[in-house]
Amino acid sequence: MSLQASAVESGGQPGPGEDVPEKKGSSGGGFRSRATDLLSGSAGRNLGLVIALLLLCLIGLITAGDRFANVDNMMTVLRLASVIGVVSVGMTFVITGGGIDLSVGAIVALASVWATTLATQTMATDVHWILMVTTALAVGAGCGLVNGLLIAYGRMAAFIVTLAMLAAARGLAELIADKKTQVVTVGPFLDFFRGSLLGVPRLVIIFALVAVAGWILLNRTAYGRRTLAVGGNPEAARLAGINVKRHQTSLYVLLGVACGIAAVMLMARTTAGTSTHGTLYELDAIAAVVIGGTLLSGGRGTIVGTVFGVLIFTTLTNVFTLNNLDTSTQAVAKGAIIVIAVLLQQRVAARSTPG
């Protein structure tokens, strides 16, 4: 290391005969460099998401007018976003940690069915409706634990394991419910989760609390730092003393708990538990996470970006619905957005790679 580099790193002044390093802020080039770094970082990505969301809102306002802009429709968008939003927050952790989960929709369905069986609702009526919530969370966590153990300790590909869980959980839900819709009859459960606080639906408040908790966990705790390390380079994380297998397992359990919460919210919103709940949630959650700026390869994640991604897709669906456009067109639009987002990720990653 040169004397100049040593002096700069130590915070001292250059010695005699050494060049004084140029201050980047003293030239227009330095300002442009800082601006470029800012726009290519998380702030720039979030700004792009905000602009995209505002453009969608403008399109909705132009094409649907007051039907889009009224308060009831805005609350509808937020309620729809809340359920998939909770799943997407959990998915952010798994993808940031270098994994993937294709079974989230099926886990939501299984948790909703198990928590609305006649036996569970009868006990909830006799004891407390919180028993239904506990059941859904336990089912979600159990499915996540199975996924995590097979992936981390069984050394099986996440794609294969979660694909198998998708089929198994959905099939088990059909067997338990006998392919019938199980109506929620516990009144206090519905009264609580279908209610509002200061005019804001409780489902939206739950989503906000989960998002805030996810942001704190990912950005302000050792658990979040370990997640980034495991996703960025598992071998380096292992050499640094992180129990990679245990941490990977915990990520899938965390996502399973998120699926359990989403199942409770869906049971309240639809007043039913059914094996058809959560259909294609894996696509919507992964799409929202990718759009938000989390790398599919792992090592970088953003909860704020995920929230914006969820809002973008939900608003897009709402605009399409208000304009009576078919679901096939919606699917094409979502697919195009996902491809564009991945291409932009690759471009940013290529620019940030030295050499």
Side-chain angles (χ1 to χ4, degrees), residues 67-88:
R67 290 183 300 140
F68 176 81
N70 66 71
V71 176
D72 290 339
N73 185 61
M74 293 295 103
M75 288 301 169
T76 298
V77 170
L78 291 176
R79 274 193 293 267
L80 292 174
S82 61
V83 178
I84 188 62
V86 169
V87 177
S88 299

Side-chain angles (χ1 to χ4, degrees), residues 150-176:
L150 290 176
I151 292 168
Y153 292 93
R155 297 185 178 181
M156 297 177 65
F159 180 87
I160 299 299
V161 171
T162 57
L163 189 62
M165 178 61 74
L166 182 155
R170 186 78 67 182
L172 182 56
E174 291 177 354
L175 288 173
I176 293 174

Side-chain angles (χ1 to χ4, degrees), residues 78 81-89 202-213 261 265 306-308 310-311:
L78 291 176
S82 61
V83 178
I84 188 62
V86 169
V87 177
S88 299
V89 170
R202 281 201 175 94
L203 296 184
V204 177
I205 295 175
I206 292 172
F207 173 37
L209 292 176
V210 170
V212 170
I261 296 173
M265 299 167 71
T306 294
V307 171
F308 277 119
V310 169
L311 292 177

Side-chain angles (χ1 to χ4, degrees), residues 14 18 20 41 71-72 75 88 90 98 101 104 117 144 199-200 229 234 249 254 307 318 337-339 350 353:
E18 297 176 12
V20 178
V71 176
D72 290 339
M75 288 301 169
S88 299
D101 194 335
V104 290
T117 59
V200 180
T249 302
L254 179 65
V307 171
N318 182 254
I337 292 174
I338 295 170
V339 170
T353 302

Side-chain angles (χ1 to χ4, degrees), residues 72-195:
D72 290 339
N73 185 61
M74 293 295 103
M75 288 301 169
T76 298
V77 170
L78 291 176
R79 274 193 293 267
L80 292 174
S82 61
V83 178
I84 188 62
V86 169
V87 177
S88 299
V89 170
M91 185 70 80
T92 302
F93 280 87
V94 168
I95 294 180
T96 301
I100 195 75
D101 194 335
L102 304 179
S103 64
V104 290
I107 293 175
V108 169
L110 179 59
S112 75
V113 165
W114 209 316
T116 54
T117 59
L118 179 60
T120 304
Q121 293 200 66
T122 300
M123 288 189 290
T125 302
D126 295 338
V127 182
H128 196 277
W129 57 260
I130 199 70
L131 183 63
M132 296 173 65
V133 177
T134 305
T135 300
L137 295 180
V139 171
C143 291
L145 179 61
V146 171
N147 281 340
L149 290 175
L150 290 176
I151 292 168
Y153 292 93
R155 297 185 178 181
M156 297 177 65
F159 180 87
I160 299 299
V161 171
T162 57
L163 189 62
M165 178 61 74
L166 182 155
R170 186 78 67 182
L172 182 56
E174 291 177 354
L175 288 173
I176 293 174
D178 195 22
K179 296 185 179 180
K180 297 177 182 177
T181 298
Q182 299 178 161
V183 179
V184 177
T185 58
V186 182
F189 172 86
L190 296 176
D191 293 339
F192 180 83
F193 286 102
R194 291 172 67 88

Side-chain angles (χ1 to χ4, degrees), residues 258-277:
C259 289
I261 296 173
V264 171
M265 299 167 71
L266 203 53
M267 287 155 47
R269 200 182 77 194
T270 63
T271 68
T274 171
S275 59
T276 60
H277 275 335

